[in-house]
Amino acid sequence: MNNSPDRVFEDILRLLRDDVIPQLEGDALRSQVFGAIFMLKNLQLRVDWGGAPLIDEIRAQDTLFDALRALDPPVDVELPKAPRLAPDTPTGGRLLALRDEGNALVSRFIAEGAGRPAGEPVRVAMDALLSAYMRTELELEIRHTPKPMFAEMSSGKAQGG
Amino acid sequence: MRAAEVDLNDLAQVEAAWQRHIASTLGPGVAVQRFRRCSEGFSWLTLSFDLEPAPPEGAHFILQIGPPTGLFSPYSVRPQVLALGSLEGSDVPVPRSFWYSDGPEVFGAPYFVTQRLPGDVLLPWSIKRAPAAEAGELMRQFVRILARIHAAPWQERPIAEIGDGIDTHDAALRQIEYWSEHIGRWSPRSFPMLSWAERWLREHAPVAPRVSIVHGDYRIGNFLQAEGLVTGILDWEMAHLGDPHEDLGWACLPMFNSGSRELAALIPRSQVYELYEAECGIRVDPASVRFYEAFALYKSVAINLGAVRCFEDGRFHDLRMAAMGTQVAPTLRQLYKTMEAAL
C-alpha cells in the first residue's frame, strides 16, 4: 500500500458520514451504516498495514545484500552488515522504514550501474541480482493487491464479478 | 491582481463567479444557462454551459478550471491553449478556445473555455460492447487523426512558444527528465523498479523521426464520437512537443485497450502503423513504439504516485486516488516485462 491507513480510514469515514448517509432513505439502512462507521473507527485505532508482506520484502532485500557483499563490486554504497530483522523488531512504522531504507540502497546500486558499460561483467552480475530482487518485491506486493475496479469507479456501475 | 475567493467544490459559487465574469465581459444581458459539471475527473474541473443570447463565439461551451487541489496542481492553461490554437483550422477535430487565463481573478485558479463539440466519450470498456465494424471504423479514424496531429506544422504556430529548442535527439530525454522530476517530488519512497526503468529509458532513448505536436494522453476515452464519426479530441493538458512515437506507445498500451496489444482489441499493430504512415508519411519504427510503451508505463506510475501524494496531503477527498496508488506494483511489473520484451 502506498497510502497511510489513517488517511484511508479518514476518507472512508468522511464519505460514509457526509455523502452516503444523507442519500439513504430509511432509518434501518442508516443505522446499519452508522454501525459500519463505528466499527471502522474502532479499526482505525487498532490496525496498521500487515507486517508479513513487509517482513518478506525486507528478507528479500537482506538476501540481495548478502549476494551483493559476496560479489563485492567496486561500488561506493555501504550495505547493512547483518540481517536487519530480529525477533524483537517492532511492526508497523519501523518495518516500513526498514523496507524503504533497503529500497533506497537498492536504487543507489542501480544508479551506480548507470555509470558502467552495459556488457561489463560486474554490471551484468549486479543487474542479475538486482532484477531478481525487484521481481520478488513486485510479486510480494501484487500478492496483496486485489483485481482493480476502475471500470466501476469511472462509470459508477457494477461490471459483474 | 486580486484572487477571487470561490469554493470550487460548490457548483453554485462557481456558476455565480462565471456569471459575474460573463456579465462584465459580454454585457449584463448575456446569461449563463444549464451550468453543470460534466465529469468526475481527477484533474481539471470540467463544466458545461450555454450562453443566452448566444454571442458571436457560439452558444454551447465547456469551462475547465485547474483546481489548486487537483492531481497536477499547480496548473497552467498554456499547453492546451497553445496546442488547440496550433491545430485550429486544421483537419484535426479540436474545439476552438475562446477565453482563458492562468490568473486567479475569476476563480482563484486557471481556467479556459472552449467550444462544446457534439458527441459522446467512448470509454475503454464500452468499446468492447460496440459492433466490431463500427468500433473498427472509429479506431481507424482515431489513428488517422493522430497522424494528422503529428504531421501538423508547428514551427510558426503558438505551441512553438514551449519548444525551448527541442530537437529530435533530446525529445525522449526531456520527457524522461520531466516525469522523473515529478516522481522525485511526489514520492518520498524509493521504488527500485522506477530507478531501473529511468536508467533503462535513458540508455535506450531513441532519436525521433521528427519533432511533432504530441497530445500526451491520446487514447480511447479521450475523444468524442457521434454517429460513427470522431467529432473531437479532448484532454490536451499533457500536450507538448516531442517524438510522435510517444502518442503511439501510449495509445497502444494494453491497459487502454482491454488488456490487448491490438488497438481497442480490434486492430493489429501492423495495421495501425500502415494506416498511420499512409496518412502522415512518418515511418513508424516499432522499436521506438516499444520504447514509448515502456515510457508510458513509467509515466503512468508517476501519475499514480501523484494521486497518492494528492490524497495523502488531503488536497483531494476522493478515494479513487488512493485506489490509483494500489496500481503502482502491477504497473511496475508490466513496465519490467515491457522493457524485457523491447530488448
Side-chain angles (χ1 to χ4, degrees):
Chain A
M1 286 296 286
N2 293 304
N3 285 107
S4 54
D6 223 35
R7 184 74 188 88
V8 173
F9 272 117
E10 191 184 295
D11 244 47
I12 294 173
L13 288 165
R14 184 205 53 76
L15 178 80
L16 293 173
R17 186 185 59 233
D18 299 347
D19 298 336
V20 174
I21 285 184
Q23 299 291 328
L24 294 178
E25 286 188 13
D27 289 346
L29 198 49
R30 277 198 295 273
S31 301
Q32 289 291 319
V33 179
F34 279 119
I37 288 174
F38 177 67
M39 288 313 297
L40 283 170
K41 283 184 169 182
N42 272 277
L43 288 173
Q44 186 181 19
L45 294 172
R46 292 160 194 266
V47 306
D48 207 339
W49 298 142
L54 290 168
I55 288 169
D56 288 344
E57 285 180 45
I58 294 164
R59 284 201 177 116
Q61 287 172 350
D62 282 343
T63 304
L64 167 69
F65 296 154
D66 283 346
L68 285 171
R69 268 196 305 275
L71 187 66
D72 195 22
V75 167
D76 186 21
V77 180
E78 195 174 337
L79 292 170
K81 296 198 169 35
R84 293 162 299 155
L85 285 174
D88 59 348
T89 302
T91 55
R94 180 63 195 136
L95 281 178
L96 210 57
L98 274 181
R99 192 273 312 270
D100 290 350
E101 285 160 17
N103 272 343
L105 286 176
V106 177
S107 287
R108 284 183 59 198
F109 264 93
I110 293 166
E112 284 280 341
R116 298 168 182 280
E120 188 199 60
V122 171
R123 174 167 161 174
V124 171
M126 261 174 28
D127 282 0
L129 295 173
L130 292 166
S131 69
Y133 161 70
M134 289 185 297
R135 287 197 306 271
T136 302
E137 190 209 10
L138 291 177
E139 290 309 323
L140 289 168
E141 291 263 341
I142 289 164
R143 204 178 289 167
H144 298 92
T145 306
K147 189 171 170 277
M149 297 173 64
F150 287 101
E152 290 88 342
M153 285 189 271
S154 291
S155 67
K157 294 178 177 63
Q159 301 288 311
Chain B
M1 187 180 296
R2 201 170 69 83
E5 286 183 17
V6 180
D7 178 357
L8 296 177
N9 294 313
D10 184 337
L11 191 64
Q13 279 195 41
V14 177
E15 181 175 6
W18 188 235
Q19 178 64 74
R20 281 195 298 276
H21 182 70
I22 287 293
S24 70
T25 52
L26 298 179
V30 180
V32 173
Q33 301 283 350
R34 289 169 287 285
F35 194 85
R36 62 179 180 83
R37 190 163 178 181
C38 290
S39 67
E40 295 289 337
F42 298 119
S43 193
W44 289 77
L45 181 64
T46 303
L47 304 125
S48 161
F49 68 96
D50 297 336
L51 289 180
E52 290 179 2
E57 288 86 355
H60 311 296
F61 301 93
I62 294 291
L63 164 65
Q64 291 195 281
I65 305 172
T69 54
L71 179 55
F72 295 124
S73 172
Y75 287 95
S76 169
V77 299
R78 282 183 82 217
Q80 7 197 7
V81 167
L82 296 174
L84 292 174
S86 299
L87 293 166
E88 208 170 292
S90 74
D91 50 6
V92 177
V94 290
R96 289 183 63 202
S97 47
F98 298 114
W99 306 289
Y100 50 85
S101 170
D102 268 341
E105 66 279 7
V106 179
F107 299 110
Y111 74 91
F112 76 110
V113 174
T114 56
Q115 164 193 22
R116 187 167 81 226
L117 296 171
D120 302 309
V121 172
L122 197 62
L123 293 167
W125 35 91
S126 57
I127 202 161
K128 281 198 293 191
R129 297 188 205 114
E134 193 181 302
E137 175 46 31
L138 270 174
M139 295 322 296
R140 281 186 280 278
Q141 288 177 50
F142 171 83
V143 174
R144 288 191 204 102
I145 292 167
L146 181 61
R148 287 181 220 143
I149 294 169
H150 293 161
W154 58 267
Q155 285 82 352
E156 308 296 326
R157 309 288 279 173
I159 201 166
E161 267 184 45
I162 54 172
D164 193 27
I166 188 171
D167 64 37
T168 53
H169 291 268
D170 71 0
L173 287 172
R174 282 172 182 240
Q175 281 301 299
I176 297 164
E177 272 159 24
Y178 178 86
W179 288 102
S180 300
E181 189 269 325
H182 278 72
I183 288 168
R185 186 147 53 91
W186 284 333
S187 178
R189 174 181 165 189
S190 179
F191 290 88
M193 189 60 83
L194 275 179
S195 307
W196 182 270
E198 182 185 350
R199 189 182 90 179
W200 186 92
L201 290 166
R202 287 180 185 279
E203 290 177 349
H204 295 84
V207 175
R210 57 169 284 162
V211 173
S212 294
I213 296 174
V214 172
H215 181 280
D217 194 10
Y218 199 84
R219 60 176 172 82
I220 299 166
N222 275 344
F223 67 85
L224 291 168
Q225 63 86 31
E227 296 173 10
L229 284 178
V230 175
T231 53
I233 304 297
L234 308 175
D235 288 345
W236 291 80
E237 70 172 299
M238 292 195 276
H240 56 274
L241 293 169
D243 186 331
H245 289 97
E246 189 188 328
D247 276 334
L248 280 168
W250 187 262
C252 291
L253 269 188
M255 70 179 178
F256 299 138
N257 294 282
S258 305
S260 169
R261 288 190 55 75
E262 300 189 339
L263 187 65
L266 282 170
I267 306 180
R269 296 283 179 100
S270 57
Q271 280 183 35
V272 170
Y273 301 163
E274 275 171 32
L275 273 168
Y276 177 90
E277 289 177 351
E279 189 72 23
C280 67
I282 300 171
R283 194 174 166 280
V284 176
D285 178 353
S288 287
V289 179
R290 283 195 293 274
F291 168 86
Y292 276 107
E293 274 185 73
F295 169 76
L297 291 161
Y298 184 73
K299 177 171 155 179
S300 296
V301 174
I303 292 169
N304 288 337
L305 292 174
V308 169
R309 182 82 273 126
C310 197
F311 183 79
E312 280 295 305
D313 290 348
R315 284 187 282 136
F316 209 94
H317 297 290
D318 189 327
L319 281 157
R320 295 174 305 166
M321 282 202 163
M324 283 171 77
T326 66
Q327 293 310 294
V328 169
T331 311
L332 283 175
R333 182 169 65 176
Q334 193 57 41
L335 171 55
Y336 183 77
K337 286 180 181 170
T338 305
M339 290 187 290
E340 290 285 289
L343 291 173

